[in-house]
Amino acid sequence: MYKLLIVDDEPQILDGIKRTLDWEKLGFGQIETSETCEGAIAKAVEFEPDLAIFDVCIGKERGYTAIRKLNELRLPAAYIMMSGYSEFEYALEALHCGVKDYLLKPVERGKLQTLVERIIVEDLNGTLEDAHPDDRNVDPVLGMRYDSLSKLTNRILLMVKAEYDQNLNLKTVANRFRMNGTYLGQLFLKETQMKFSEYLMVYRMLRARDRIQTTDEKISTIALSVGYANLNYFYTHFQAYFNKSPSDLRRRE
């Protein structure tokens, strides 16, 4: 059984994360929480968590400072960072400390589930119910294993998975990494053989297809949920990619 540590200075956030997923089903038999960095370090040393979820700002302290300390102590944990929009630069700092992924607050259940499952397979060498482990190691758009891609590209892919439902583009990504957009786009294209805009579009289409097939939500609602404010634009992309309309796909399923 795995062990989980959740660190946030807001008790309601701690309770929310504990209730968001069926942690026991995922294999977590022990869950500890802390509202301070000092307390988090002490608890981590005491029970050695397999996964630790840190808020980027814990009071006046920074979560990545505690993670640096735990790395110095060589604790074999995987880390997820939670951050708000205004704290993203702090989240980038955390990535430099070896944090696997980050989630924007308020944390969405589906995104947290996806990240935790990936860490279970890739970092904890575990397995998941109703899923083949190799599927979790392969990007759904590129068909490439994550461990075959550079750290930079993996971070870009994580940003897409975390923010595909928002106004995301290459310029936004480049600004966050403090890189030139044209240069970053060239690096991404060279490694993936796909433009960033194409990758984002395909990922959104795949997520839209999943929701069309598994929910009764209106197509307009689904379009908004995957980042399309313009419904006609969504229909055009969907038809071009799947060679059928969203309504046709739903009727045939």
Side-chain angles (χ1 to χ4, degrees):
M1 298 292 281
Y2 306 123
K3 293 174 285 187
L4 171 67
L5 174 63
I6 310 170
V7 187
D8 196 294
D9 58 356
E10 300 182 49
Q12 64 269 29
I13 299 295
L14 296 175
D15 290 338
I17 297 297
K18 288 173 67 176
R19 296 173 183 173
T20 296
L21 301 184
D22 186 342
W23 292 103
E24 185 175 355
K25 185 177 180 180
L26 288 168
F28 288 85
Q30 183 179 357
I31 300 177
E32 297 289 340
T33 63
S34 177
E35 297 180 25
T36 66
C37 284
E38 183 178 353
I41 293 172
K43 285 195 174 184
V45 170
E46 178 183 350
F47 84 109
E48 296 187 352
D50 298 288
L51 172 64
I53 303 176
F54 275 79
D55 186 17
V56 71
C57 292
I58 305 169
K60 295 182 179 180
E61 298 179 282
R62 301 289 175 257
Y64 54 78
T65 301
I67 293 173
R68 281 203 193 101
K69 179 63 175 178
L70 294 174
N71 285 336
E72 291 173 2
L73 296 174
R74 300 184 181 280
L75 288 181
Y79 300 100
I80 290 176
M81 179 66 70
M82 300 182 292
S83 72
Y85 287 106
S86 62
E87 303 162 343
F88 185 79
E89 289 193 6
Y90 293 148
L92 284 182
E93 183 68 26
L95 289 174
H96 295 311
C97 298
V99 170
K100 298 296 180 181
D101 312 299
Y102 79 92
L103 290 167
L104 290 175
K105 298 169 73 173
V107 173
E108 294 184 23
R109 181 187 181 283
K111 293 177 181 178
L112 177 60
Q113 177 95 19
T114 298
L115 296 183
V116 171
E117 287 179 350
R118 181 176 166 189
I119 287 174
I120 288 174
V121 172
E122 295 184 358
D123 297 276
L124 305 181
N125 298 315
T127 58
L128 302 169
E129 294 183 14
D130 304 319
H132 193 286
D134 286 346
D135 294 339
R136 299 289 173 173
N137 292 327
V138 178
D139 184 84
V141 175
L142 301 173
M144 301 171 67
R145 290 179 58 88
Y146 291 113
D147 58 14
S148 71
L149 299 169
S150 67
K151 289 184 178 180
L152 176 60
T153 296
N154 269 298
R155 290 176 183 176
I156 294 172
L157 299 184
L158 287 171
M159 287 183 66
V160 172
K161 291 173 175 58
E163 301 182 48
Y164 68 91
D165 55 344
Q166 298 162 37
N167 185 25
L168 190 65
N169 53 51
L170 182 60
K171 182 178 179 181
T172 302
V173 175
N175 287 341
R176 291 184 177 180
F177 284 100
R178 297 179 181 176
M179 295 180 66
N180 176 274
T182 300
Y183 178 64
L184 184 63
Q186 290 172 345
L187 291 177
F188 188 84
L189 176 61
K190 182 178 180 180
E191 186 168 5
T192 67
Q193 305 302 306
M194 182 178 283
K195 293 180 180 179
F196 174 81
S197 59
E198 293 174 337
Y199 179 91
L200 177 61
M201 185 275 288
V202 174
Y203 188 81
R204 284 170 165 169
M205 291 299 101
L206 296 179
R207 294 306 299 263
R209 179 195 61 186
D210 291 344
R211 297 189 70 159
I212 289 170
Q213 293 175 329
T214 60
T215 75
D216 295 322
E217 293 177 302
K218 293 180 179 180
I219 301 301
S220 58
T221 300
I222 292 175
L224 283 172
S225 75
V226 298
Y228 283 85
N230 186 314
L231 185 58
N232 290 332
Y233 199 32
F234 171 77
Y235 270 96
T236 299
H237 277 188
F238 197 96
Q239 181 74 44
Y241 187 73
F242 291 111
N243 200 29
K244 65 182 68 173
S245 72
S247 299
D248 286 340
L249 178 64
R250 177 166 278 171
R251 282 197 293 268
R252 294 179 187 180
E253 293 301 322

mmCIF file of all heavy atoms in Angstrom, residues 192-208:
data_model
loop_
_atom_site.group_PDB
_atom_site.id
_atom_site.type_symbol
_atom_site.label_atom_id
_atom_site.label_comp_id
_atom_site.label_asym_id
_atom_site.label_seq_id
_atom_site.Cartn_x
_atom_site.Cartn_y
_atom_site.Cartn_z
ATOM 1 N N THR A 192 8.726 16.234 -31.544
ATOM 2 C CA THR A 192 7.437 15.538 -31.642
ATOM 3 C C THR A 192 6.931 15.372 -33.072
ATOM 4 O O THR A 192 5.979 14.627 -33.310
ATOM 5 C CB THR A 192 6.359 16.292 -30.846
ATOM 6 O OG1 THR A 192 6.106 17.561 -31.482
ATOM 7 C CG2 THR A 192 6.799 16.521 -29.410
ATOM 8 N N GLN A 193 7.566 16.086 -34.021
ATOM 9 C CA GLN A 193 7.101 16.100 -35.408
ATOM 10 C C GLN A 193 5.694 16.669 -35.524
ATOM 11 O O GLN A 193 4.934 16.314 -36.440
ATOM 12 C CB GLN A 193 7.144 14.677 -36.011
ATOM 13 C CG GLN A 193 8.507 14.005 -35.927
ATOM 14 C CD GLN A 193 9.590 14.823 -36.622
ATOM 15 O OE1 GLN A 193 9.439 15.176 -37.786
ATOM 16 N NE2 GLN A 193 10.674 15.110 -35.917
ATOM 17 N N MET A 194 5.344 17.533 -34.599
ATOM 18 C CA MET A 194 4.014 18.140 -34.591
ATOM 19 C C MET A 194 4.115 19.549 -34.036
ATOM 20 O O MET A 194 4.805 19.792 -33.044
ATOM 21 C CB MET A 194 3.058 17.302 -33.721
ATOM 22 C CG MET A 194 1.620 17.815 -33.669
ATOM 23 S SD MET A 194 0.539 16.734 -32.669
ATOM 24 C CE MET A 194 0.295 15.396 -33.826
ATOM 25 N N LYS A 195 3.425 20.495 -34.684
ATOM 26 C CA LYS A 195 3.390 21.847 -34.148
ATOM 27 C C LYS A 195 2.622 21.861 -32.831
ATOM 28 O O LYS A 195 1.704 21.062 -32.633
ATOM 29 C CB LYS A 195 2.723 22.801 -35.145
ATOM 30 C CG LYS A 195 3.490 23.022 -36.430
ATOM 31 C CD LYS A 195 2.739 23.982 -37.336
ATOM 32 C CE LYS A 195 3.487 24.228 -38.634
ATOM 33 N NZ LYS A 195 2.738 25.148 -39.524
ATOM 34 N N PHE A 196 2.973 22.805 -31.954
ATOM 35 C CA PHE A 196 2.293 22.880 -30.669
ATOM 36 C C PHE A 196 0.793 23.090 -30.858
ATOM 37 O O PHE A 196 -0.018 22.458 -30.180
ATOM 38 C CB PHE A 196 2.856 24.028 -29.821
ATOM 39 C CG PHE A 196 2.093 24.232 -28.540
ATOM 40 C CD1 PHE A 196 2.336 23.442 -27.436
ATOM 41 C CD2 PHE A 196 1.109 25.217 -28.448
ATOM 42 C CE1 PHE A 196 1.617 23.604 -26.252
ATOM 43 C CE2 PHE A 196 0.394 25.399 -27.277
ATOM 44 C CZ PHE A 196 0.648 24.579 -26.175
ATOM 45 N N SER A 197 0.409 23.967 -31.779
ATOM 46 C CA SER A 197 -1.014 24.249 -32.005
ATOM 47 C C SER A 197 -1.753 22.998 -32.469
ATOM 48 O O SER A 197 -2.910 22.773 -32.092
ATOM 49 C CB SER A 197 -1.180 25.367 -33.039
ATOM 50 O OG SER A 197 -0.574 25.018 -34.270
ATOM 51 N N GLU A 198 -1.081 22.165 -33.267
ATOM 52 C CA GLU A 198 -1.692 20.914 -33.733
ATOM 53 C C GLU A 198 -1.862 19.943 -32.572
ATOM 54 O O GLU A 198 -2.894 19.277 -32.452
ATOM 55 C CB GLU A 198 -0.833 20.292 -34.821
ATOM 56 C CG GLU A 198 -0.778 21.107 -36.106
ATOM 57 C CD GLU A 198 0.202 20.552 -37.113
ATOM 58 O OE1 GLU A 198 1.134 19.830 -36.695
ATOM 59 O OE2 GLU A 198 0.041 20.844 -38.308
ATOM 60 N N TYR A 199 -0.827 19.856 -31.740
ATOM 61 C CA TYR A 199 -0.919 18.960 -30.580
ATOM 62 C C TYR A 199 -2.075 19.368 -29.678
ATOM 63 O O TYR A 199 -2.880 18.528 -29.254
ATOM 64 C CB TYR A 199 0.390 18.972 -29.785
ATOM 65 C CG TYR A 199 0.320 18.068 -28.569
ATOM 66 C CD1 TYR A 199 0.705 16.738 -28.656
ATOM 67 C CD2 TYR A 199 -0.169 18.540 -27.349
ATOM 68 C CE1 TYR A 199 0.609 15.886 -27.567
ATOM 69 C CE2 TYR A 199 -0.276 17.692 -26.261
ATOM 70 C CZ TYR A 199 0.113 16.372 -26.371
ATOM 71 O OH TYR A 199 -0.008 15.535 -25.292
ATOM 72 N N LEU A 200 -2.168 20.656 -29.389
ATOM 73 C CA LEU A 200 -3.233 21.156 -28.520
ATOM 74 C C LEU A 200 -4.604 20.861 -29.114
ATOM 75 O O LEU A 200 -5.521 20.424 -28.405
ATOM 76 C CB LEU A 200 -3.063 22.663 -28.302
ATOM 77 C CG LEU A 200 -4.142 23.363 -27.475
ATOM 78 C CD1 LEU A 200 -4.200 22.798 -26.061
ATOM 79 C CD2 LEU A 200 -3.864 24.870 -27.427
ATOM 80 N N MET A 201 -4.758 21.075 -30.409
ATOM 81 C CA MET A 201 -6.032 20.821 -31.063
ATOM 82 C C MET A 201 -6.418 19.344 -30.964
ATOM 83 O O MET A 201 -7.547 19.005 -30.608
ATOM 84 C CB MET A 201 -5.966 21.259 -32.531
ATOM 85 C CG MET A 201 -7.294 21.142 -33.291
ATOM 86 S SD MET A 201 -7.608 19.499 -33.980
ATOM 87 C CE MET A 201 -6.403 19.486 -35.313
ATOM 88 N N VAL A 202 -5.466 18.453 -31.258
ATOM 89 C CA VAL A 202 -5.766 17.019 -31.222
ATOM 90 C C VAL A 202 -6.103 16.575 -29.804
ATOM 91 O O VAL A 202 -7.049 15.793 -29.592
ATOM 92 C CB VAL A 202 -4.583 16.201 -31.774
ATOM 93 C CG1 VAL A 202 -4.837 14.702 -31.597
ATOM 94 C CG2 VAL A 202 -4.356 16.519 -33.245
ATOM 95 N N TYR A 203 -5.346 17.069 -28.833
ATOM 96 C CA TYR A 203 -5.635 16.683 -27.445
ATOM 97 C C TYR A 203 -7.044 17.125 -27.059
ATOM 98 O O TYR A 203 -7.795 16.381 -26.424
ATOM 99 C CB TYR A 203 -4.605 17.293 -26.484
ATOM 100 C CG TYR A 203 -4.755 16.764 -25.076
ATOM 101 C CD1 TYR A 203 -4.220 15.524 -24.729
ATOM 102 C CD2 TYR A 203 -5.453 17.480 -24.106
ATOM 103 C CE1 TYR A 203 -4.373 15.020 -23.458
ATOM 104 C CE2 TYR A 203 -5.614 16.977 -22.828
ATOM 105 C CZ TYR A 203 -5.070 15.745 -22.508
ATOM 106 O OH TYR A 203 -5.242 15.236 -21.233
ATOM 107 N N ARG A 204 -7.419 18.332 -27.444
ATOM 108 C CA ARG A 204 -8.765 18.819 -27.159
ATOM 109 C C ARG A 204 -9.817 17.960 -27.852
ATOM 110 O O ARG A 204 -10.875 17.660 -27.276
ATOM 111 C CB ARG A 204 -8.891 20.277 -27.602
ATOM 112 C CG ARG A 204 -8.213 21.263 -26.672
ATOM 113 C CD ARG A 204 -8.154 22.652 -27.271
ATOM 114 N NE ARG A 204 -7.840 23.657 -26.261
ATOM 115 C CZ ARG A 204 -7.517 24.906 -26.533
ATOM 116 N NH1 ARG A 204 -7.461 25.307 -27.806
ATOM 117 N NH2 ARG A 204 -7.251 25.760 -25.557
ATOM 118 N N MET A 205 -9.544 17.552 -29.084
ATOM 119 C CA MET A 205 -10.494 16.710 -29.812
ATOM 120 C C MET A 205 -10.683 15.363 -29.119
ATOM 121 O O MET A 205 -11.805 14.851 -29.008
ATOM 122 C CB MET A 205 -10.010 16.485 -31.252
ATOM 123 C CG MET A 205 -10.055 17.726 -32.141
ATOM 124 S SD MET A 205 -11.719 18.403 -32.359
ATOM 125 C CE MET A 205 -11.689 19.797 -31.207
ATOM 126 N N LEU A 206 -9.602 14.779 -28.654
ATOM 127 C CA LEU A 206 -9.691 13.490 -27.966
ATOM 128 C C LEU A 206 -10.493 13.606 -26.676
ATOM 129 O O LEU A 206 -11.304 12.726 -26.344
ATOM 130 C CB LEU A 206 -8.288 12.945 -27.672
ATOM 131 C CG LEU A 206 -7.433 12.601 -28.894
ATOM 132 C CD1 LEU A 206 -6.066 12.104 -28.458
ATOM 133 C CD2 LEU A 206 -8.127 11.574 -29.779
ATOM 134 N N ARG A 207 -10.266 14.686 -25.942
ATOM 135 C CA ARG A 207 -11.023 14.889 -24.711
ATOM 136 C C ARG A 207 -12.497 15.145 -25.006
ATOM 137 O O ARG A 207 -13.388 14.664 -24.303
ATOM 138 C CB ARG A 207 -10.444 16.064 -23.907
ATOM 139 C CG ARG A 207 -9.044 15.827 -23.357
ATOM 140 C CD ARG A 207 -8.957 14.549 -22.524
ATOM 141 N NE ARG A 207 -9.825 14.573 -21.380
ATOM 142 C CZ ARG A 207 -9.441 14.909 -20.136
ATOM 143 N NH1 ARG A 207 -8.194 15.257 -19.924
ATOM 144 N NH2 ARG A 207 -10.298 14.888 -19.133
ATOM 145 N N ALA A 208 -12.769 15.887 -26.091
ATOM 146 C CA ALA A 208 -14.149 16.147 -26.480
ATOM 147 C C ALA A 208 -14.836 14.848 -26.879
ATOM 148 O O ALA A 208 -15.987 14.593 -26.495
ATOM 149 C CB ALA A 208 -14.188 17.148 -27.628
#
